[in-house]
Amino acid sequence: MAGWMWFRCFLGPHLQRVHRSQEESRPEGRAGRRPHGWTYQPKSLEKHTDSILGWASALWSLSYYSSPLLLCYLYRKGYICSSKLVPVSQYVGTVMVCLLGVACLRGWGRWRNSEYQQFISILEETRKNHTPSNKKRLACYDFDFSHWPADFSWEEVSNPKLLSKAGVSLLKPEPKLRGAADSVLNSLRTLPCHIISFLIAHSFGRRILYPGSVYLLQRAMRPMLQQGQARLIEECEGQRNKLVACDGNEIDTMFVDRRREEGLHGQTLVICCEGNAGFYEVGCMNTPLEGGYSVLGWNHPGFAGSTGVPFPQNEANAMDVVIQFAVHKLGFQLSDIVVYAWSIGGFTGPLVTHTVRQYMNLNSAEQLCKYQGPVLLIRRTKDEIITTMGPEDIMSNRGNNLLLKLLQFRYPKVMTDDGVRAIRAWLAASNHVEEAAVYSSYEVDDDWCVSVLQSYKTERDVFFPWSVGEDMTLEGRRQLALFLARKYMRNFDSTHCTPLPYSEFAAPWGL
């Protein structure tokens, strides 16, 4: 029995924090009021051996990321040959044996710690019998999320025969050239570009586009992430869940339920989608939480507790299972769900155009036009990331293009050249005073615009695109274009990474 317990401790996860006690009070030396939680204190043997293994893991990651340069250096020095590789392999084998011994000692240290023994017993019991009571007991511990049992899978609500593991429908394939001969010749001609793009996207390109997926960055941010997660669980009574997407990736989520609290917003669920270096532990969940909303945060594939890599298709698969979880497991209606997304990440010069289009194509406008629900875009007037000419040139903000493409799809008869010109004048305004001046110069009558749109919706009640504005005067189309732009976009006078205050957080406009 003791040997089996040691073996479970040897293979067990790294325990980081105890969020709240079960039947007992604080550990020794922590007498007093009942705590929210405390940091797990390993004994000396476990502490030192875990530190050695942690440094070994960090060195391995550093070697992995620098391997191209390291291999080139070794090749030029003549070390990549059989006479040199044999002794090197012996040294590596010796190091591996030593690390295995260190891991065994760490297991011994864990086995001697009653708190860790209690934790590993609860974990094993939850794996065997994943009941709500066992889940509640396990939720009292913060540990390596890879060992956390799955709480929800896409297979529970989707037919595997209808949805392949490749993922949900997302991207359109590139158009094929007409003619078999032309297609073959074009494929041969572009083959080197495809190979280079694939290597870039699957090596440093993906890590530049999504720096949050880099292990070394996650390790540096670990104390901050642990502190943020402890606050969400202990102060906000958050519930951590593992979701399994259709591609097999495990998605780390955090749900804060406010439906039982007094207030107007608790019945609305805000799903938070972080930026390319953001984590729900320290990300945009705080804004809707301040407003009393129920909130569901999740980490991108490859970020912190989530597995996989954050390619666009994997992102779509993750978002799909998050929505399914919110509807089928948490019990929210689609009409009561708001998606709050912060940024899409900036693209940097090493990623060539073909690589972005072929492997990292986020095509936000195309995906947004497929959505039929209400939308609110928040443009940061001093954004330094998604501007092409610099934060001082507000017309180079890519949010402008997103707004125009969305309105052109939904209201094509309104978005004529004159309508687009009027909106561009409004977008060029750098502050609220200039915005109001442009708006008033076109003498926009808000009540008239609402009545026109409401009348069209009542008579037809059709999906977008709408034909409203087809028989409208030039002045009327301008007014309606500006009215819609103002309803679909709000300005926030800030830079890219400044958290959005709750005063600027609002539900999208709808008729």
Side-chain angles (χ1 to χ4, degrees):
M1 184 65 180
W4 175 242
M5 175 59 75
W6 171 85
F7 185 71
R8 289 193 296 177
C9 293
F10 169 72
L11 297 177
H14 177 66
L15 180 59
Q16 297 151 354
R17 184 177 178 85
V18 182
H19 289 303
R20 59 182 68 88
S21 59
Q22 298 295 321
E23 287 78 16
E24 73 259 12
S25 58
R26 279 181 186 258
E28 270 183 40
R30 300 185 181 186
R33 62 183 179 86
R34 187 179 180 87
H36 281 301
W38 58 86
T39 302
Y40 169 68
Q41 298 294 336
K43 294 188 176 180
S44 179
L45 181 60
E46 180 186 355
K47 180 179 179 180
H48 293 306
T49 52
D50 197 55
S51 177
I52 294 173
L53 294 175
W55 277 106
S57 177
L59 290 175
W60 168 254
S61 298
L62 187 62
S63 301
Y64 173 78
Y65 291 124
S66 61
S67 57
L69 297 176
L70 184 61
L71 289 174
C72 290
Y73 174 79
L74 294 176
Y75 178 78
R76 294 189 62 182
K77 291 295 183 178
Y79 288 108
I80 302 181
C81 59
S82 58
S83 60
K84 299 288 186 179
L85 291 177
V86 171
V88 170
S89 63
Q90 292 176 345
Y91 293 141
V92 171
T94 302
V95 171
M96 295 299 294
V97 171
C98 292
L99 291 177
L100 179 61
V102 172
C104 292
L105 290 175
R106 183 180 65 176
W108 176 264
R110 290 173 173 176
W111 179 71
R112 296 178 60 193
N113 191 319
S114 59
E115 194 167 37
Y116 191 90
Q117 280 199 33
Q118 182 185 20
F119 155 69
I120 203 69
S121 299
I122 294 174
L123 176 60
E124 291 296 323
E125 179 62 27
T126 307
R127 284 173 173 171
K128 296 175 183 178
N129 190 14
H130 197 185
T131 61
S133 59
N134 284 339
K135 167 69 184 298
K136 186 175 181 180
R137 296 172 64 203
L138 185 64
C140 297
Y141 297 93
D142 180 12
F143 56 96
D144 293 340
F145 201 61
S146 59
H147 293 258
W148 187 285
D151 298 291
F152 181 81
S153 173
W154 69 284
E155 293 181 337
E156 296 181 24
V157 294
S158 300
N159 189 343
K161 296 180 180 180
L162 300 178
L163 181 63
S164 67
K165 289 192 176 182
V168 298
S169 174
L170 173 65
L171 302 177
K172 292 182 178 179
E174 291 187 336
K176 302 292 184 181
L177 294 177
R178 294 183 178 179
D182 291 340
S183 298
V184 173
L185 291 175
N186 183 70
S187 299
L188 292 175
R189 186 170 61 252
T190 59
L191 181 60
C193 185
H194 278 280
I195 294 175
I196 295 174
S197 298
F198 179 87
L199 293 176
I200 290 175
H202 288 78
S203 56
F204 63 87
R206 187 248 307 168
R207 292 170 177 84
I208 291 176
L209 183 60
Y210 286 97
S213 65
V214 178
Y215 172 76
L216 293 177
L217 176 63
Q218 295 180 23
R219 184 176 178 84
M221 294 184 62
R222 186 175 296 170
M224 189 185 305
L225 298 180
Q226 292 174 357
Q227 184 179 6
Q229 188 174 110
R231 185 187 69 84
L232 289 171
I233 293 176
E234 297 166 14
E235 298 179 16
C236 302
E237 298 184 356
Q239 305 166 22
R240 198 178 187 189
N241 295 281
K242 175 185 284 189
L243 317 183
V244 181
C246 59
D247 52 15
N249 288 338
E250 298 173 347
I251 308 303
D252 183 5
T253 68
M254 180 66 69
F255 172 56
V256 178
D257 194 353
R258 297 282 179 80
R259 285 174 289 188
R260 296 183 179 180
E261 298 181 8
E262 295 183 1
L264 301 175
H265 300 146
Q267 300 301 318
T268 300
L269 175 67
V270 179
I271 298 179
C272 296
C273 305
E274 304 293 342
N276 63 337
F279 305 83
Y280 73 70
E281 292 90 340
V282 291
C284 60
M285 286 185 66
N286 291 331
T287 299
L289 282 176
E290 290 180 11
Y293 291 89
S294 295
V295 184
L296 176 60
W298 61 283
N299 280 329
H300 297 283
F303 281 50
S306 298
T307 63
V309 290
F311 284 107
Q313 186 62 64
N314 303 112
E315 292 281 293
N317 298 339
M319 188 61 186
D320 175 71
V321 76
V322 169
I323 294 290
Q324 299 287 359
F325 174 72
V327 173
H328 297 283
K329 194 68 175 286
L330 300 182
F332 286 91
Q333 300 295 321
L334 285 175
S335 57
D336 296 326
I337 295 177
V338 175
V339 178
Y340 171 40
W342 186 350
S343 174
I344 56 171
F347 295 98
T348 50
L351 287 176
V352 296
T353 302
H354 183 273
T355 303
V356 174
R357 289 178 177 172
Q358 184 73 13
Y359 298 102
M360 297 292 189
N361 187 9
L362 301 180
N363 59 4
S364 302
E366 179 184 343
Q367 300 303 321
L368 185 59
C369 288
K370 294 180 180 179
Y371 175 64
Q372 291 286 324
V375 174
L376 175 62
L377 304 174
I378 298 177
R379 182 180 67 162
R380 294 168 181 261
T381 57
K382 298 178 181 177
D383 199 306
E384 71 281 13
I385 301 298
I386 62 171
T387 50
T388 56
M389 302 298 293
E392 65 281 351
D393 184 4
I394 197 171
M395 287 305 293
S396 69
N397 189 303
R398 297 300 296 175
N400 302 336
N401 304 70
L402 197 59
L403 173 66
L404 289 173
K405 289 183 179 180
L406 178 62
L407 294 181
Q408 285 170 340
F409 170 78
R410 292 192 169 190
Y411 312 97
K413 304 301 181 181
V414 175
M415 296 298 291
T416 59
D417 291 341
D418 295 288
V420 172
R421 195 176 298 114
I423 291 179
R424 288 190 179 277
W426 179 77
L427 289 172
S430 58
N431 54 60
H432 294 296
V433 176
E434 294 181 4
E435 286 180 37
V438 173
Y439 202 74
S440 61
S441 67
Y442 284 91
E443 300 180 350
V444 181
D445 186 344
D446 289 358
D447 294 334
W448 175 80
C449 293
V450 170
S451 65
V452 169
L453 295 171
Q454 190 68 58
S455 175
Y456 180 91
K457 182 180 180 182
T458 303
E459 294 175 2
R460 294 167 180 82
D461 194 21
V462 295
F463 292 107
F464 294 114
W466 286 5
S467 61
V468 62
E470 190 171 16
D471 301 323
M472 195 174 290
T473 63
L474 178 62
E475 180 184 355
R477 284 198 295 266
R478 287 174 177 171
Q479 287 192 43
L480 199 54
L482 276 175
F483 173 82
L484 290 169
R486 198 177 192 183
K487 292 298 184 182
Y488 275 80
M489 175 176 277
R490 292 178 56 184
N491 282 333
F492 176 43
D493 186 24
S494 179
T495 57
H496 185 80
C497 295
T498 304
L500 185 73
Y502 170 64
S503 59
E504 297 291 333
F505 184 83
W509 170 79
L511 289 171

